[in-house]
Amino acid sequence: HGQTAANLSGVLQGQQDHPLNATGQKQAAELAAALRRRRDADKSGGAWAVHSSDLSRASATGATAAAALGDLPVSTHERLRERKLGPFEGHDEQHNSTQNALAWGRFRRGMSVAGVESCDDVYARASVALVEVAAAHDGKTVVVVTHGGVIVTLAERLTVVGQHVPPIRNCSITALRAPRGGAPFEAWRIEAIGDASHLSDGAAAGVANADVR
C-alpha cells in the first residue's frame, strides 16, 4: 500500500487505520500505471482481479489499481490486515523503547507480548486467505494489496533457509506464483520481492527472479 503520515514519521500502525498521505496517493497511482502496463502485456487473455486488506491505506491503494485496470471491483479481507501490534501501535520506536521498555525488549527478541499477534498467527490467517483468493481465480492474475509485515512473514516461509528478505517499500511489488488447482501456500513460488522500479521517489529496492524454491 501507499505511504501514510505514520509511515513517514516512523509510527507503528499495526491494525490502526491510517489514510494515505499525498505521497502515498502518488505511489498508488504509479503502482496502478505499472500494473496496467503488465496487464496490457499479459498474453494469457484472462481477466485480472483485485483483492485487498480492509484497512483504508490498503483498500484505497487497491481502488486506485482497480480503476486503472478497468474499474474492477475490490474485494476486501480482514485476514489480509497488518500484524496486530497491541501496545506498540500509534507510537514510534523511541516511545516504545523508553515508555514500554520491558515489553519492547521482548518484542524485539521475538518473544510473545500480550496484545501482539504472533508471526505464526499472521502467517496462518494471511496464507489461507491467499490460497482461497487464488482458488477463486485459478490460473488468473490477481492483485492483492496488503502490508509490509504480512509480506515479510509470508515471504520468509517461501525463501530458502537463511536467505534475506529485503525491505518492503510502500507500493512495491512482490510477485508470487501459485500452482493451479488450489495448492497449499507452501507450494507457491516467489518471482520477485519488493520490486520498486516503477516508483519515482527513490532507488528501487528488492529482488527480481529471486533464487527461492
Side-chain angles (χ1 to χ4, degrees), residues 3 6 12 15 23 36 60 87 90 92 100 103 117 120 124 126-127 133 152 155 158 169 182-183 198 202 205 209:
Q3 186 188 82
L12 299 181
Q15 295 190 0
T23 297
R36 185 174 60 244
D92 61 16
N100 202 359
E117 189 177 16
D120 286 344
S127 63
V133 166
V152 169
L158 295 180
R169 291 187 54 205
H198 54 284
N209 298 318

Side-chain angles (χ1 to χ4, degrees), residues 1-17:
H1 64 77
Q3 186 188 82
T4 67
N7 284 139
L8 187 61
S9 61
V11 168
L12 299 181
Q13 298 172 100
Q15 295 190 0
Q16 289 185 345
D17 205 6

Side-chain angles (χ1 to χ4, degrees), residues 116-147:
V116 175
E117 189 177 16
S118 72
C119 290
D120 286 344
D121 287 345
V122 173
Y123 174 77
R125 63 170 168 84
S127 63
V128 169
L130 287 184
V131 168
E132 291 177 0
V133 166
H137 305 281
D138 197 25
K140 308 300 183 183
T141 300
V142 183
V143 176
V144 178
V145 185
T146 184
H147 306 268

